[in-house]
Amino acid sequence: MRKSILISVLIITLITSFVFGAAEREYPERDITTVVVWGAGGGTDVINRIIMAEMSEILGVNINVINVTGGVAGSVGMNDAFNRPKDGYVLAGMSESNVTSAVMGGFNNRVDVWDWFIVGGSPDVVSVGANSPYNTLDELIDAAKANPGSIRAGASGAGSIHHLNLLAFENGTDTDFNFIPYDGSAPAQNAALTGEVSIIITSIAEQAQLIRGGQLKPLAMLEPEAFTVDGLTIPSSFTNYPELAQYLPLRQSIGFAIAKEAPQYAKDKISEAFKQAMETQAVKDFGKNNFYILAGLYGDEANTLMNNLESSFAWTLHELGSARVNPDSLNIPKP
Amino acid sequence: MNFFSQFGIFSNSMGAVLINPSAMLLLFGSVFMGIMFGATPGLTATLGVALLTTLTYGMTTNLALIALLGVYVGGVYGGSYASILLNIPGTAASAATALDGYPLACKGEAGKALGLTTTSSAIGTIIGMLFVVGLAPAISKIALQFTSFEFFLLAFFGIIISGTLTSPDLVYKGWIAGFLGLFLSVIGRDQLQFYPRFTFGLSDLDGGLDIVPVLIGAFGIPQIIQVIRDSQKPQETKKFTRILPEFKTIIKNIPTIIRSSLIGVGIGAVPGIGEDIAGWVSYGAAKNASRHPERFGTGEVEAVISSETANNACIGGAMIPLLSLGVPGSPPAAMLLGALMLHGIQPGPMLAIDHPTFIIEIAAILLLASFAMWIIGIMLAKQVVNLLRIPTSVLMPIIAVLCVIGSYSLSMRIFNLFLMVIIGVIVFILNEMGYPIAPLIIGVILGPMADQNLRRALMVSEGSFLPVFTRPVALLLFLVICLTVLSQTKIYRRVLRKFMQRISKKKT
């Protein structure tokens, strides 16, 4: 009797370990779906399609990239991805802009329900039109200090990464600009060409064509390091204004995430594939050709970064009066 | 960009399609679908473009454009089938064609009429395309004159003019419909400060109303209700003989074709009015110019050619304000604007700077589409008529299902289905009360442009309206808007009549 119990326990142990072990060994055994919450052809979409193509080869299964857009700060796609089974076969293609979805009332959870994988982002640059009287950052800052609030600065709408960069730039240089919001970076840049705004803050990836064409004059990077576009070196704004280091850099963070509740073995496999994919030539070339700085962050590092971005975005929006949900009620710490 | 490099891009983009079998298949397939839509009463080119917008969402921009322009060209042309064979205009655009096309069919000359409309439609499309290439660069030269004030006035002008030109009875109804569309467009969080407006706390409304379900609701649902209520029954088709066009007749009618094309391009270029009005105006002009105006309405070949050339030339015309100003020139072009935006292309003064080769690519696709339309038209004229035999009780449920799929598939939100039905019912009621739909849709589409640019312009000018009068393009637009509104008042007409009388008195 005792013997038979022992045997059955042994058998059960064997079977369970075999089943679980097999599941672990065989992930992924079917196709993975990546729900990109921004539109096809945009930065987040393109980056996800490239990294997923590489990861698909490494993992040996197809990764289907679909776009589910709409809502506030991509909330429709975030909810769609989050409500799918948390079995490790669903990824969500997102960017730093999605961290505001919770305070905007679009998503009921904070960013910490995800494990993040950050491919990278393009750094922001302060530029002026080709005919602008300002040739250096110092000239611009002096003019801004002489007439506070009169120089028009264009960037995409309130609460966007570029708007936050402008606010940080104002704080760090003790200046005050007249912020003119646009429906995206492209119209903001067009306004710099027509002279409607004097300066613009958008990413170097978005400005690259206009800088090369001589239509925009880049003054300074909102980054600790200088940046080179086709042999033209754009100095860092930190050199002459070291106080900026308190507020910057606030860089785009584009990548994807997996639900934290997904099985650990799946997350391990995805992390490993992500690490390898970031090392491939295709991803490196994409970053170089499109002026992205590749981060390749995952695990605690990536999660901490997103948490920090969430605090600064959420509280900034709250101060602007645009947040629908008080960041305190979501336990989002102050930056 | 000089002429040769433009021509190089033009032939390159044509060549790229010609050597790509899937692109060719798509071109012919979408032109064919367009003809089917056009030939079926109740289905329009606009609805065809709307349904394809969702289906082509995942394609590359170039392929999507081939499909959308193909269905547009095919849809405008296809309307002539039903007009000629059944005396039911397949689309409003070919209503004028029925006046002489059906008498021709009764005389047993349906084949001749169809052959002529096929060829003249193709020629009309090509002439319209030439204007796109010729005029768009000139307009884009003034692109950098456009700042927020100009964009606001332009959007406002688009809404006002479409209200003026499409109202069947009172012009105020067109404006009311336009402002209703403007109101619908401000629902949701505004893109400048992210402030929620008219959302009533519903998170589904936060992102604003999606344009596709609104469009499908506005165009599809009322049509289904109307067709079922009126229970239009297609009549037996007459037999017809040869389809191939008589080139002699075409050559004899070259003056008519050129005049009709110019009328089509001109009317297409005015924002808010489209192919249907082009057809009527061209018919009227042909009748005025004819040596035998009394024969019009009894089966005059010239009449059929005039309306069909003009409505296809209108496509190219409608592209000019769409591409160079971002203001759609006709209802299908309005749908096309939405489709382009989905693909990340913002038509407007900046298009030539953002996408320098885009206009030439459009022209190349239009030319290919007109060839495809001609080939299919000649080959399939007899078969296409069979679609008209499908009973309404079978056809309309299919259309209804397509509307539902079209509204849902883009963002996969059930909310959009409710939105489509609600908009559809509201538009049906407005329709019954004599309100035109086109200004409402143009209001929804141009609303964000008007709203954001006005507020941004006032931020830039720090609250002053003075730039409207100091900036030349803004002042011009402002005066045109004032004139458009004034021209609808009784006082203006009375003054104008007195003025004309005085002039004629002085002459005598």
Side-chain angles (χ1 to χ4, degrees):
Chain A
M1 184 63 195
R2 199 181 288 167
K3 207 176 185 180
S4 66
I5 289 175
L6 198 70
I7 287 170
S8 46
V9 165
L10 248 172
I11 287 170
I12 289 167
T13 321
L14 262 174
I15 289 173
T16 46
S17 68
F18 180 75
V19 168
F20 283 6
E24 202 166 325
R25 234 186 352 264
E26 282 172 19
Y27 177 87
E29 57 185 359
R30 55 191 165 88
D31 290 355
I32 295 170
T33 301
T34 299
V35 180
V36 173
V37 307
W38 301 110
T44 307
D45 180 64
V46 173
I47 284 187
N48 267 285
R49 282 174 199 275
I50 285 169
I51 195 91
M52 291 305 157
E54 297 301 318
M55 285 173 56
S56 154
E57 266 183 38
I58 294 161
L59 292 169
V61 291
N62 281 328
I63 303 183
N64 303 317
V65 180
I66 59 169
N67 302 82
V68 181
T69 60
V72 276
S75 60
V76 171
M78 290 169 77
N79 284 308
D80 179 271
F82 195 69
N83 293 334
R84 286 172 190 243
K86 294 172 184 59
D87 54 3
Y89 288 92
V90 178
L91 305 176
M94 293 191 278
S95 71
E96 79 292 332
S97 307
N98 296 109
V99 303
T100 61
S101 198
V103 285
M104 290 294 196
F107 189 63
N108 292 332
N109 299 291
R110 284 189 53 197
V111 295
D112 58 9
V113 296
W114 309 93
D115 268 328
W116 292 83
F117 298 83
I118 310 297
V119 178
S122 187
D124 272 23
V125 54
V126 184
S127 292
V128 295
N131 301 324
S132 165
Y134 316 117
N135 289 309
T136 62
L137 187 62
D138 291 340
E139 288 175 22
L140 174 69
I141 301 284
D142 290 345
K145 283 191 171 153
N147 291 299
S150 70
I151 296 180
R152 295 187 291 270
S156 40
S160 70
I161 181 86
H162 308 304
H163 178 222
L164 291 190
N165 264 297
L166 172 67
L167 291 176
F169 177 67
E170 287 179 327
N171 287 335
T173 57
D174 194 24
T175 50
D176 182 20
F177 289 90
N178 179 8
F179 169 54
I180 311 290
Y182 286 85
D183 191 10
S185 291
Q189 288 167 186
N190 287 337
L193 302 187
T194 65
E196 184 166 80
V197 294
S198 304
I199 72 161
I200 44 152
I201 294 183
T202 57
S203 76
I204 192 93
E206 290 158 325
Q207 284 185 33
Q209 294 301 336
L210 294 171
I211 292 175
R212 283 174 179 168
Q215 285 154 310
L216 285 181
K217 236 177 350 185
L219 296 184
M221 302 299 301
L222 296 179
E223 286 277 314
E225 282 98 37
F227 200 89
T228 308
V229 176
D230 281 4
L232 174 74
T233 303
I234 308 165
S236 164
S237 53
F238 289 34
T239 324
N240 291 349
Y241 302 92
E243 285 106 80
L244 280 171
Q246 285 175 38
Y247 306 96
L248 290 169
L250 265 175
R251 198 188 289 161
Q252 274 184 326
S253 301
I254 302 175
F256 62 93
I258 187 167
K260 204 157 223 150
E261 286 174 38
Q264 190 58 42
Y265 56 81
K267 289 196 279 190
D268 289 345
K269 271 278 171 87
I270 295 280
S271 303
E272 187 52 35
F274 174 70
K275 203 167 94 181
Q276 285 180 35
M278 287 303 296
E279 294 301 315
T280 58
Q281 202 57 40
V283 172
K284 284 183 172 171
D285 282 348
F286 173 82
K288 202 175 146 206
N289 295 337
N290 293 282
F291 307 102
Y292 279 90
I293 293 180
L294 297 178
L297 299 180
Y298 61 98
D300 288 342
E301 246 183 321
N303 292 344
T304 311
L305 176 75
M306 293 314 280
N307 268 323
N308 291 343
L309 281 173
E310 184 181 45
S311 326
S312 56
F313 272 93
W315 283 99
T316 306
L317 284 173
H318 183 67
E319 280 155 28
L320 290 170
S322 303
R324 186 156 142 187
V325 178
N326 190 326
D328 256 336
S329 68
L330 288 160
N331 298 322
I332 298 175
K334 286 202 179 186
Chain B
M1 220 187 301
N2 64 31
F3 174 76
F4 288 105
S5 66
Q6 282 203 343
F7 187 75
I9 297 165
F10 184 75
S11 40
N12 275 352
S13 15
M14 272 209 343
V17 179
L18 287 172
I19 56 163
N20 182 345
S22 59
M24 285 304 277
L25 199 68
L26 187 68
L27 175 69
F28 277 87
S30 53
V31 170
F32 178 70
M33 177 185 152
I35 295 176
M36 290 296 197
F37 266 73
T40 314
L43 305 187
T44 60
T46 314
L47 189 63
V49 177
L51 290 176
L52 262 194
T53 298
T54 48
L55 293 177
T56 56
Y57 180 53
M59 295 181 187
T60 64
T61 311
N62 210 17
L63 282 181
L65 274 176
I66 290 174
L68 294 169
L69 289 174
V71 89
Y72 187 177
V73 170
V76 171
Y77 155 73
S80 62
Y81 286 108
S83 295
I84 292 171
L85 298 167
L86 301 172
N87 205 19
I88 303 171
T91 59
S94 56
T97 311
L99 292 185
D100 282 76
Y102 189 66
L104 270 176
C106 293
K107 285 193 238 168
E109 292 188 61
K112 185 182 171 185
L114 281 178
L116 286 172
T117 56
T118 307
T119 310
S120 54
S121 291
I123 296 173
T125 313
I126 293 168
I127 292 180
M129 180 274 307
L130 290 176
F131 273 88
V132 174
V133 183
L135 271 189
I139 295 178
S140 63
K141 278 214 174 110
I142 58 165
L144 291 181
Q145 293 296 318
F146 277 77
T147 63
S148 295
F149 266 117
E150 283 85 1
F151 279 116
F152 160 69
L153 290 167
L154 194 61
F156 195 66
F157 172 67
I159 296 167
I160 291 285
I161 192 84
S162 70
T164 310
L165 292 166
T166 53
S167 302
D169 46 8
L170 283 171
V171 67
Y172 303 104
K173 287 190 172 176
W175 290 340
I176 290 170
F179 288 127
L180 206 59
L182 199 57
F183 164 70
L184 289 178
S185 76
V186 301
I187 292 174
R189 284 183 185 258
D190 86 279
Q191 291 298 313
L192 300 183
Q193 283 155 328
F194 241 64
Y195 192 80
R197 301 184 291 191
F198 304 108
T199 58
F200 305 106
L202 294 170
S203 62
D204 272 323
L205 284 173
D206 266 343
L209 303 183
D210 281 351
I211 199 82
V212 173
V214 172
L215 275 168
I216 293 181
F219 284 112
I221 303 288
Q223 255 162 5
I224 293 171
I225 300 175
Q226 274 160 13
V227 169
I228 290 175
R229 185 191 59 186
D230 303 344
S231 61
Q232 294 175 356
K233 271 265 157 120
Q235 293 146 28
E236 256 323 288
T237 49
K238 306 264 184 304
K239 277 193 177 170
F240 49 82
T241 46
R242 54 176 301 208
I243 295 281
L244 268 178
E246 297 164 11
F247 284 100
K248 260 187 206 163
T249 322
I250 292 289
I251 289 165
K252 215 176 81 187
N253 281 296
I254 278 181
T256 310
I257 289 177
I258 291 179
R259 185 188 53 239
S260 309
S261 298
L262 293 179
I263 291 171
V265 170
I267 288 179
V270 178
I273 52 173
E275 289 79 13
D276 44 349
I277 297 173
W280 283 111
V281 172
S282 177
Y283 182 90
K287 193 174 176 181
N288 278 339
S290 170
R291 259 170 285 170
H292 309 284
E294 74 282 356
R295 285 198 212 155
F296 275 63
T298 61
E300 182 76 0
V301 167
E302 214 181 316
V304 177
I305 292 177
S306 70
S307 61
E308 279 302 304
T309 313
N311 64 27
N312 271 76
C314 192
I315 297 173
M319 291 293 156
I320 296 171
L322 173 70
L323 295 175
S324 55
L325 302 174
V327 180
S330 68
M335 192 58 233
L336 206 58
L337 173 65
L340 288 176
M341 284 173 161
L342 284 180
H343 282 275
I345 291 169
Q346 172 74 58
M350 293 298 161
L351 185 70
I353 293 164
D354 292 339
H355 307 272
T357 61
F358 188 74
I359 290 170
I360 309 219
E361 282 164 23
I362 290 254
I365 293 172
L366 265 184
L367 184 62
L368 286 172
S370 59
F371 283 138
M373 184 213 87
W374 191 80
I375 294 168
I376 297 177
I378 293 296
M379 276 168 33
L380 288 180
K382 287 180 187 172
Q383 281 74 11
V384 147
V385 179
N386 290 332
L387 187 75
L388 309 178
R389 295 214 181 97
I390 299 175
T392 312
S393 53
V394 175
L395 191 61
M396 281 303 136
I398 294 175
I399 302 306
V401 169
L402 285 177
C403 285
V404 170
I405 293 173
S407 303
Y408 179 72
S409 63
L410 190 63
S411 57
M412 316 233 177
R413 293 165 70 191
I414 296 291
F415 174 78
N416 281 349
L417 297 182
F418 294 118
L419 179 66
M420 176 194 74
V421 173
I422 292 168
I423 295 282
V425 172
I426 293 173
V427 168
F428 175 75
I429 295 166
L430 287 176
N431 244 349
E432 294 296 299
M433 289 158 69
Y435 289 91
I437 317 175
L440 185 132
I441 291 304
I442 288 177
V444 173
I445 289 178
L446 295 180
M449 180 172 155
D451 165 45
Q452 287 178 26
N453 279 298
L454 176 62
R455 289 165 52 216
R456 188 181 301 129
L458 292 174
M459 284 183 198
V460 170
S461 70
E462 285 160 3
S464 161
F465 275 103
L466 204 63
V468 172
F469 305 104
T470 56
R471 301 186 55 87
V473 176
L475 183 63
L476 185 70
L477 284 167
F478 180 73
L479 291 177
V480 170
I481 291 172
C482 289
L483 204 66
T484 310
V485 175
L486 276 177
S487 69
Q488 299 301 323
T489 57
K490 277 180 186 161
I491 304 162
Y492 175 85
R493 283 180 194 159
R494 203 176 300 150
V495 170
L496 192 75
R497 204 180 307 135
K498 276 188 182 165
F499 185 69
M500 295 301 262
Q501 277 169 357
R502 200 169 296 166
I503 287 177
S504 53
K505 264 180 200 168
K506 269 181 189 170
K507 270 184 187 168
T508 49

